[in-house]
Amino acid sequence: MAPIPGRLTGLGVGPGDPELLTLKALRLLRAASVVAYPAPEHGVSFARSIVSNWLEAGQREIAIRIPMQPGPPPDAIYDTAAADLAAELDRGNDVVLLCQGDPLFYGSFSYLFARLAGRYRIEIVPGVPSITACAAAASTPLVTRDEVLAVIPATLGEAEIARHLSESDAAAIVKLGRHFPKVRRALRELGLLDSARYIERATLPNQRVSPLPCVDAAEIPYFSMALIRRRPIGS
Amino acid sequence: MAPIPGRLTGLGVGPGDPELLTLKALRLLRAASVVAYPAPEHGVSFARSIVSNWLEAGQREIAIRIPMQPGPPPDAIYDTAAADLAAELDRGNDVVLLCQGDPLFYGSFSYLFARLAGRYRIEIVPGVPSITACAAAASTPLVTRDEVLAVIPATLGEAEIARHLSESDAAAIVKLGRHFPKVRRALRELGLLDSARYIERATLPNQRVSPLPCVDAAEIPYFSMALIRRRPIGS
């Protein structure tokens, strides 16, 4: 007789500081028989590194290898990963899928969710996302009162970034990396350069916070963000 | 000789489920000699209720009473609260200020921060904000790939809400409450009503998730949100 299928849990593990895991995420992580996580084609998984001190000896691990390349990864990557997770679930094993930040705020969980929802029980545990971690690191309110916040991927075109910036009271521009020069041009064009803050590797030991104009475009990692506010803090 | 001033910590305690506190928030909460929190003019503080099981007997509590009324509370409320916190800090006491969700994502912490920054050491511990908690409750991606997310307060005018909705790929409309009929009209006008999800009291035992068209406008609490996506999940 086939076993009762296991449950898949999308587990937000927060922005990087292991102490920013939630109590719920830690409990479910420790109870899981299978721990899956996204990883680059070669090298270590950032999501796994966040929780590495809490992994138990008996847990089986599944690294979902996602090639780092411009543009979204091909569908086949997620089709294969979904099949691997489904095989574990069909054996009756509960699987937690580690998600840096929050599972539903960018990131790859949504693609696996789309492939497995309806067929399996899926729980999602929200986590501290990068935007609130970066705001805390920069001591800058993200939004107050009746302000509108726009979260803008730096992968968009310069005109589109500028349009969204001009239409919102506050903005977080995510995934800066090699798109930094374009973002800086858009901010300068709109007169927002001097109010922009730059944050990289928020909550990690090598976190960096700086006025955006002081940043060297040649040294921008993927995990970096610009925060912009039109109004002064607290007004 | 005056003591060394204490440290103020803005402590994100998450959306409501006590298990969605971070490990860091729990550690700092337990170590604090003074615990402050926003509260309505009469009745219990939501932020305090989230952590009530972890409060220690010897901790002094400061309720910052904020009258519930349309529009922002008067400046005098925050001036007085800032003075009360400053008096504790001047005595050398460390103070944690509980913030439901995240300290810098709406909420009252920003006003106290603006009044006390520069004079005292202030640390901010990010928390799980309502938007990621609601997305998890509704099993709906907030944003994927190169999508732009707009976070829109329902307190804005209908035309402004509609404009921001039409300019973004995905949106969270926060602080619904009595503004619900206006938001529903804006969504209907844009043809977005059928794709809108309604979530109230996310992560609490009385959480409710529903297609937005099924909701009775007479029963909308302040802690409710609409999530809208233009593209199908996973695309």
Side-chain angles (χ1 to χ4, degrees):
Chain A
M1 216 172 74
I4 296 169
R7 182 178 65 173
L8 175 66
T9 303
L11 207 69
V13 296
D17 177 353
E19 243 200 323
L20 290 176
L21 217 70
T22 64
L23 305 173
K24 185 170 186 176
L26 181 57
R27 174 174 61 83
L28 295 177
L29 172 66
R30 284 177 159 160
S33 52
V34 181
V35 179
Y37 41 78
E41 209 159 7
H42 308 284
V44 301
S45 158
F46 179 49
R48 184 190 186 279
S49 72
I50 295 173
V51 305
S52 59
N53 281 340
W54 290 301
L55 293 172
E56 311 273 348
Q59 292 179 312
R60 190 157 61 268
E61 298 186 25
I62 299 178
I64 300 171
R65 300 282 170 189
I66 300 175
M68 287 298 272
Q69 58 186 28
D75 276 352
I77 298 279
Y78 294 118
D79 290 342
T80 304
D84 290 347
L85 297 181
E88 288 292 341
L89 297 167
D90 287 336
R91 271 176 231 129
N93 294 326
D94 288 340
V95 178
V96 301
L97 177 55
L98 308 181
C99 307
Q100 62 205 42
D102 177 82
L104 298 169
F105 186 75
Y106 300 106
S108 50
F109 176 75
S110 294
Y111 311 119
L112 295 166
F113 178 78
R115 285 164 173 79
L116 297 167
R119 291 163 54 199
Y120 300 97
R121 288 174 300 154
I122 302 183
E123 183 179 12
I124 302 167
V125 179
V128 175
S130 53
I131 46 168
T132 63
C134 285
S139 296
T140 304
L142 262 182
V143 263
T144 65
R145 301 207 171 165
D146 59 354
E147 291 175 349
V148 172
L149 172 71
V151 185
I152 308 168
T155 48
L156 294 175
E158 185 176 336
E160 216 171 342
I161 292 171
R163 183 168 62 78
H164 288 291
L165 277 171
S166 64
E167 286 159 356
S168 55
D169 304 304
I173 307 181
V174 299
K175 312 182 189 187
L176 282 181
R178 66 195 173 82
H179 303 284
F180 181 81
K182 174 177 66 182
V183 170
R184 190 172 50 190
R185 280 197 305 274
L187 290 168
R188 186 182 291 127
E189 202 65 35
L190 292 164
L192 292 172
L193 198 54
D194 288 337
S195 69
R197 305 278 286 165
Y198 169 84
I199 306 102
E200 70 179 40
R201 301 187 178 91
T203 80
L204 290 171
N206 54 354
Q207 165 184 300
R208 182 178 167 211
V209 178
S210 163
L212 193 130
C214 305
V215 173
D216 180 353
E219 295 176 355
I220 310 289
Y222 182 78
F223 286 116
S224 58
M225 186 180 299
L227 292 178
I228 298 102
R229 285 181 58 76
R230 291 181 172 277
R231 303 185 211 175
I233 293 170
S235 73
Chain B
M1 215 172 74
I4 296 169
R7 184 179 65 174
L8 177 65
T9 304
L11 206 71
V13 297
D17 178 352
E19 244 200 324
L20 290 176
L21 217 69
T22 64
L23 305 173
K24 184 170 186 177
L26 181 57
R27 174 173 61 81
L28 295 177
L29 172 66
R30 284 176 159 160
S33 51
V34 181
V35 179
Y37 40 78
E41 209 159 9
H42 308 282
V44 302
S45 158
F46 179 48
R48 185 191 186 280
S49 73
I50 295 173
V51 305
S52 58
N53 281 340
W54 290 302
L55 293 172
E56 310 274 348
Q59 292 178 314
R60 191 156 63 267
E61 298 187 26
I62 298 178
I64 299 171
R65 299 282 171 189
I66 300 175
M68 288 298 273
Q69 56 186 30
D75 276 353
I77 298 279
Y78 294 118
D79 291 343
T80 304
D84 291 347
L85 298 181
E88 289 292 341
L89 298 167
D90 287 337
R91 270 177 230 130
N93 294 326
D94 288 342
V95 179
V96 302
L97 178 55
L98 308 180
C99 308
Q100 62 206 41
D102 176 82
L104 298 170
F105 187 77
Y106 300 105
S108 50
F109 176 75
S110 293
Y111 311 119
L112 295 166
F113 178 76
R115 284 163 173 81
L116 297 168
R119 292 163 55 199
Y120 300 98
R121 287 174 301 154
I122 302 184
E123 185 179 10
I124 301 169
V125 179
V128 175
S130 52
I131 46 169
T132 62
C134 285
S139 296
T140 305
L142 262 182
V143 263
T144 65
R145 302 209 170 164
D146 60 353
E147 291 176 348
V148 172
L149 171 72
V151 185
I152 308 169
T155 48
L156 295 175
E158 184 176 336
E160 218 171 341
I161 291 171
R163 183 168 61 79
H164 288 290
L165 276 171
S166 63
E167 286 159 357
S168 54
D169 304 304
I173 306 181
V174 298
K175 311 182 190 189
L176 282 181
R178 64 194 175 82
H179 302 284
F180 181 82
K182 175 178 64 184
V183 170
R184 189 173 50 192
R185 279 197 306 274
L187 289 168
R188 186 181 293 126
E189 201 66 29
L190 292 164
L192 293 172
L193 198 53
D194 288 337
S195 69
R197 304 279 288 164
Y198 168 86
I199 306 102
E200 70 180 38
R201 302 187 179 90
T203 79
L204 291 172
N206 54 353
Q207 165 184 302
R208 183 179 166 209
V209 178
S210 164
L212 193 130
C214 305
V215 174
D216 179 353
E219 294 176 355
I220 310 289
Y222 183 78
F223 286 115
S224 58
M225 187 180 297
L227 292 178
I228 298 102
R229 285 182 58 79
R230 290 180 173 279
R231 304 186 210 174
I233 293 172
S235 72

